[in-house]
Amino acid sequence: MPEVSALGAWITLAVTIAVAVVVLEGVRRLLAGRLSAKWPPVGAAARRCAAPAFTFAVVVATTAALPYQFLPDGAVAPVRQALRIATIGAATWLVLRISYALTDPALDRLTRIEGERNRRARRARTQMLLLRRISAAVITVLAVGTALFTFPAVRALGAGVLASAGVAGLVVGIAARPALGNLFAGLQLAFSDALRLDDVVVVEGEWGRVEELTLSYVVVHLWDERRLILPVSYFTEKPFENWTRRTSRVLGTVILHVDWSVPVEELRAELYRALRDNPLWDQRDWVLQVTDVLENGMVQLRALMSAPDSASAWDLRCDIREHLVGYIRDHYPQALPRLRAELPGPELAGAGTR
């Protein structure tokens, strides 16, 4: 009879796990199938949360239906402890996946916003990502602490730690000062609007775009595909250039050194024609000016043009520089850069040969 009872208990465990899995699979198919056609984010969230949800369901069903009375005497306590930790881990995994699944659609919408609203969208995206990382870190720390406190020895140790919380807090604060400094620096950057994702910055003499902003470091994607990784505290302690803090629009500059004989009015008209035909120009600002007279007998021309963002401004500058160089070479070759030198006259030349 005890053998039949043991067999029935294990069959009950298997049926309980199977029922939990089948019910959860039905809910997943409903969310990812019919409801996904009306609300696509619901289907995406169901697909992302499937693995932790199934894990949590299996662990909870096992905890509820496991026949502890048929386990060996020395195995009951370890199995209970393992199931407690597994439940905490699966619940933490599920909560994190749900939070990420709920915030990802909003982040995707913010990524697609262009134009004048892009700056505010990048600010909101940066803040949401940082808050999500902070929430995930807090949830993980709480889960680890809860799992540790399921051990009696750790609970006893925790009482002693609480009794000396002042000294322990001082020691931990001194040891974690760099990490805490980076944490507060990241929050300061995000909520003071000093730095956002996709901002164009010049750091350490390098031009690039902010690719990743975490609580401990910032990744700058440089123009030549390199990545410059800096601690977050760098941006609160040292100066840096932010080209897109107020607006994404950027003014590009093209400098030309040409001969005095260059026809400035014709070149100005050609600049406007080239800009008008170039899709990278935002059709707002442009000018061509003589900005300097150089000692080597040439003049300096500066062409200014506006673009919707820094990447477009770089390409527009290259296009216009190439066009103007070719236009001067083909139509006004006498205006190409040349060096002038004063040679000695015939009298001086003859005197030198005597």
Side-chain angles (χ1 to χ4, degrees), residues 167-177 180:
V167 178
L170 180 61
V171 174
V172 172
I174 294 174
R177 186 177 64 85
L180 292 176

Side-chain angles (χ1 to χ4, degrees), residues 208-281:
R209 189 181 295 272
V210 177
E211 183 179 53
E212 188 176 358
L213 176 59
T214 70
L215 296 176
S216 56
Y217 61 88
V218 176
V219 179
V220 180
H221 185 184
L222 302 181
W223 65 274
D224 56 358
E225 297 300 325
R226 290 179 297 149
R227 265 63 173 183
L228 182 63
I229 301 176
L230 299 166
V232 177
S233 57
Y234 175 94
F235 293 90
T236 59
E237 298 173 356
K238 296 183 179 181
F240 64 96
E241 295 182 29
N242 189 338
W243 289 12
T244 54
R245 185 172 186 271
R246 292 299 181 189
T247 179
S248 298
R249 292 182 62 235
V250 177
L251 284 177
T253 305
V254 172
I255 301 295
L256 296 177
H257 294 163
V258 293
D259 191 74
W260 286 67
S261 60
V262 63
V264 178
E265 289 299 330
E266 286 79 356
L267 202 60
R268 185 176 289 120
E270 183 61 26
L271 170 64
Y272 178 68
R273 283 193 294 269
L275 288 173
R276 189 176 52 192
D277 298 336
N278 196 310
L280 298 176
W281 183 46

Side-chain angles (χ1 to χ4, degrees), residues 103-119:
T103 55
D104 278 344
L107 291 171
D108 291 339
R109 287 194 298 270
L110 292 173
T111 304
R112 293 192 295 268
I113 294 178
E114 301 292 341
E116 295 296 332
R117 298 171 54 199
N118 177 261
R119 185 180 66 85

Side-chain angles (χ1 to χ4, degrees), residues 77-155:
V79 169
R80 287 183 182 274
Q81 183 67 23
L83 287 175
R84 290 194 196 100
I85 296 176
T87 302
I88 295 171
T92 304
W93 187 18
L94 180 59
V95 169
L96 291 178
R97 277 295 182 90
I98 291 174
S99 65
Y100 275 61
L102 293 177
T103 55
D104 278 344
L107 291 171
D108 291 339
R109 287 194 298 270
L110 292 173
T111 304
R112 293 192 295 268
I113 294 178
E114 301 292 341
E116 295 296 332
R117 298 171 54 199
N118 177 261
R119 185 180 66 85
R120 285 182 292 179
R122 288 188 287 110
R123 176 184 179 182
R125 183 164 170 258
T126 302
Q127 294 174 353
M128 285 183 63
L129 283 173
L130 281 180
L131 288 176
R132 191 169 76 170
R133 288 191 176 101
I134 293 173
S135 302
V138 171
I139 291 173
T140 303
V141 170
L142 290 177
V144 172
T146 304
L148 290 176
F149 270 82
T150 59
F151 295 92
V154 176
R155 286 199 298 269

